[in-house]
């Protein structure tokens, strides 16, 4: 099992949600986040401290999937979220040790 975390443009929220719904994913979590990437953006000094002023709004998708679904999920995210311009976002893949369904106590693959 893997956790796929994708940080994408807010305009891609609906298209990506729809595209992922077409894969047989078991669930997903979406959050509104702010961040910066390689360009680091601007920094300003405020009362002697450096402050980042351009943490841009992004949307984060968190998907825990079985190993067989990893490739299709990543391909779908890239196909849907890519514009080719800087700031398209990033995908992080993490190993998942276990998943527990609270209602039933099931764990592992069946609980994803
Ligand atoms: N190394 C990182 N760690 C954590 N979050 C990151 C990292 N890189 C990017 N992000 C998140 O992804 C968002 C989009 O990043 P972005 O697409 O600008 O990455 P990039 O490496 O600058 O690529 P590009 O050059 O295409 O802009 C950021 O706003 C931030 O929320
Ligand atoms: Mg960037």
């Amino acid at each position: 099992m893997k956790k796929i975390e994708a940080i994408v443009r807010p305009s891609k929220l609906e298209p990506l949600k729809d595209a992922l719904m077409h894969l047989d994913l078991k669930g997903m979590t979406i959050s509104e986040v702010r961040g910066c990437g390689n360009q680091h953006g601007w920094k300003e000094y405020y009362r002697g401290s450096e402050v980042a002023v351009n943490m841009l709004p992004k949307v984060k998708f968190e998907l825990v999937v079985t190993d067989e679904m990893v490739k299709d999920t990543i391909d779908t995210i890239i196909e849907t979220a890519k514009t080719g311009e800087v700031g398209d976002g990033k995908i992080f893949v993490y190993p998942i040790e276990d998943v527990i369904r609270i209602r039933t106590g099931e764990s592992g693959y069946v609980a994803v």
Side-chain angles (χ1 to χ4, degrees), residues 5 7-8 33-40 55-58 84-90 92:
E5 190 176 287
I7 301 176
V8 301
V33 296
R34 301 177 81 84
C36 68
N38 208 21
Q39 285 74 24
H40 291 176
M55 299 299 267
L56 300 172
K58 299 283 172 183
E85 303 294 322
V86 294
D88 271 352
K90 222 164 252 189
F92 303 104

Side-chain angles (χ1 to χ4, degrees), residues 6-20 28 30 57-61 76-85 87-89:
I7 301 176
V8 301
R9 298 177 189 278
S11 60
K12 296 296 184 178
L13 169 58
E14 291 298 327
L16 185 53
K17 195 181 69 184
D18 291 347
L20 290 168
M28 66 176 80
I30 300 175
K58 299 283 172 183
V59 171
K60 180 169 76 172
F61 282 74
T76 298
I77 294 167
I78 294 171
E79 271 166 32
T80 313
K82 181 173 173 175
T83 69
E85 303 294 322
D88 271 352

